Amino acid sequence: MTPALEVSSLRKVYANGFEALKSIDLSVAQGDFFALLGPNGAGKSTTLGIVSGLVQKTSGAARIMGFDVNRELYEARRRLGVVPQEFNFNQFEKVQDIVTTQAGYFGLRAVDARERTAELLKALDLWDKREQPARMLSGGMKRRLMIARALVHRPEVLILDEPTAGVDIELRRSMWRFMQELNREGVTIVLTTHYLEEAEQLCRNIAIINQGDIIQSTSTRELLSTLHTETFVLDLTAPLQQVPQLPGYEVVQSASDGLEVTVEKGQDLNALFQVLSEHQVLVRSMRTKSNRLEELFVHLVQEGRA
Ligand code: ADP
Ligand code: MG
């Protein structure tokens, strides 16, 4: 099946000579809920900006539902809804007009545009504000207005750049429910976030970007499974000649007299201790290496830098 979103060898050098994207490859399947996760300045907005046609790429290609965002701009745009990181509507325009005008760009008939606008403003809890100029809205409402506008032409793919940045926890959860419902209806969702909890809660697949490179791209389950293991750091009385290989254990030499052992959470280390004592090696001390998603992230980012 054609990927919903695909970028290949995407490179971006800004006018000042800064290389924001080195060579990005991404493929998001239709129906997926996908996170592009990375620290500030990693290149998330640049990537999505190119995909949405807001940023000019230096080289490479980006496709939406198989349509090239440059050569087949109109076909690509029709299938894509974009919620940029910065508010980019006219603050003096009325809420409902902002959404209806967008519908016009995509050729919806006036009556359909009004109907669709009403449907979205109700779903996003903005119906009461429809007559107000956008500048009167709170930050969270403005974000929802951006989402309503992005969805007016019923795109198959929705991309959201940090949709819940600066949004309080309660509203964040209601936005999550809204996005999950959309995804259940079949809309492919790609979001960027630096909230790990968000990627973990919502997304099936996660790509981690850092300094213009994808440093990890895997399923959330896979990523979390590495966290459902525990890593122990063992300090040994003598160095081992050979690192023991045991089923269910992942053992690597850490320092000269140390081992790092990763096991499923809850599994004991008895089999390993057994092997060590057979080699007349004892464990002098042992500690748990804490292993949260955040730490994994930091670890990957450091690896990316190395
Ligand atoms: P993210 O969205 O992950 O925080 P961005 O894609 O916005 O990151 O930016 C990636 C890098 O490119 C950052 O170092 C940023 O400072 C730089 N950058 C972004 N826009 C421009 C620009 N117009 N000119 C020069 N550098 C830019
Ligand atoms: Mg950004």
Side-chain angles (χ1 to χ4, degrees), residues 11-75:
R11 186 162 175 263
K12 173 64 185 177
V13 181
Y14 279 110
N16 63 2
F18 183 76
E19 189 183 27
L21 302 181
K22 287 164 188 160
S23 180
I24 298 284
D25 293 302
L26 282 177
S27 180
V28 179
Q30 290 182 36
D32 202 358
F33 205 136
F34 188 95
L36 188 59
L37 185 65
N40 275 331
K44 302 182 296 296
S45 295
T46 302
T47 304
L48 294 191
I50 292 171
V51 170
S52 355
L54 303 170
V55 175
Q56 193 74 38
K57 67 183 190 303
T58 302
S59 59
R63 280 176 288 277
I64 296 292
M65 301 296 288
F67 295 102
D68 187 282
V69 301
N70 293 114
R71 284 185 288 104
E72 299 159 297
L73 177 65
Y74 181 73
E75 289 299 328

Side-chain angles (χ1 to χ4, degrees), residues 99-172:
V99 181
T100 326
T101 305
Q102 182 82 354
Y105 291 143
F106 287 102
L108 268 77
R109 289 162 42 222
V111 53
D112 295 334
R114 272 198 303 276
E115 236 171 66
R116 179 72 176 149
T117 300
E119 181 190 349
L120 285 166
L121 292 182
K122 285 173 188 165
L124 285 155
D125 223 359
L126 289 169
W127 183 240
D128 293 347
K129 307 283 176 189
R130 63 190 180 279
E131 297 287 350
Q132 295 197 5
R135 72 188 157 84
M136 304 293 283
L137 302 182
S138 70
M141 289 173 182
K142 286 177 181 166
R143 186 66 57 193
R144 270 141 51 207
L145 172 57
M146 302 264 285
I147 296 175
R149 187 185 59 173
L151 288 172
V152 78
H153 59 300
R154 299 181 193 277
E156 288 152 83
V157 185
L158 178 67
I159 66 182
L160 307 108
D161 196 358
E162 310 240 4
T164 59
V167 168
D168 69 56
I169 189 75
E170 197 176 324
L171 183 57
R172 193 182 306 163

